[in-house]
Amino acid sequence: MSRILGLDYGTKTVGVAISDPLLLTAQEFETITRERASALRHTLVRIKEICEEYQIEKIVLGYPRNMDDSEGFRCEDTLEFKKLLEKRVTIPIELVDERLTTVYADEILEESGVAKKDRKKVIDQIAAAIILQDYLDNYRS
């Protein structure tokens, strides 16, 4: 059975979430970190490994539009990342609105009692899971 991968692309991290085989739920998976914003080779290789290991059928990539629906430099960076990823994997990559997902992820961590200093380790994974769960919920309906 195939799964869907959710990605929250950031300047130095990529949060990764993965669906269950029935495409009902999203689970946090890992955060891929890099030293520099432009050092993407390891990130792309790791995403390809995950896709192969978990038989990923689609990737949903958070697209960071501004609150007024305009597209800024982060959208440009995300589109460039998508192009690089498309050269590594042969599965479809769909852009999905990710506005406020990091805010929601931070709220979830705060409500769960996670100390502010410890949130950085997992916030991108949770944001990726929110992006993916939103996609899965809309996918079913």
Side-chain angles (χ1 to χ4, degrees), residues 1-119:
M1 295 181 97
S2 297
R3 298 173 186 243
I4 298 175
L5 194 71
L7 300 177
D8 179 40
Y9 176 70
T11 307
K12 290 194 176 181
T13 62
V14 176
V16 181
I18 193 167
S19 75
D20 68 295
L22 298 174
L23 307 179
L24 297 174
T25 61
Q27 294 89 32
E28 304 91 25
F29 191 74
E30 71 181 69
T31 300
I32 304 168
T33 58
R34 57 192 182 279
E35 296 289 321
R36 297 181 325 277
S38 62
L40 288 169
R41 189 181 141 311
H42 167 73
T43 299
L44 296 166
V45 167
R46 180 64 187 133
I47 292 169
K48 183 177 180 179
E49 290 171 353
I50 295 167
C51 289
E52 291 170 352
E53 182 176 347
Y54 290 91
Q55 299 174 326
I56 301 300
E57 71 178 31
K58 181 183 283 188
I59 295 172
V60 293
L61 174 61
Y63 194 59
R65 290 182 181 275
N66 296 320
M67 291 307 292
D68 65 359
D69 209 31
S70 64
E71 297 180 3
F73 72 92
R74 291 211 48 241
C75 285
E76 292 174 22
D77 290 347
T78 301
L79 289 173
E80 186 60 36
F81 176 72
K82 180 179 183 269
K83 287 179 189 174
L84 293 171
L85 188 54
E86 287 172 332
K87 292 178 183 177
R88 297 277 181 149
V89 298
T90 57
I91 55 181
I93 302 170
E94 188 171 329
L95 296 172
V96 295
D97 191 346
E98 72 160 46
R99 280 178 278 196
L100 298 176
T101 54
T102 302
V103 173
Y104 295 147
D106 193 52
E107 289 174 0
I108 289 167
L109 290 168
E110 184 178 359
E111 289 173 9
S112 300
V114 177
K116 206 165 189 80
K117 64 179 175 64
D118 296 328
R119 293 181 199 166

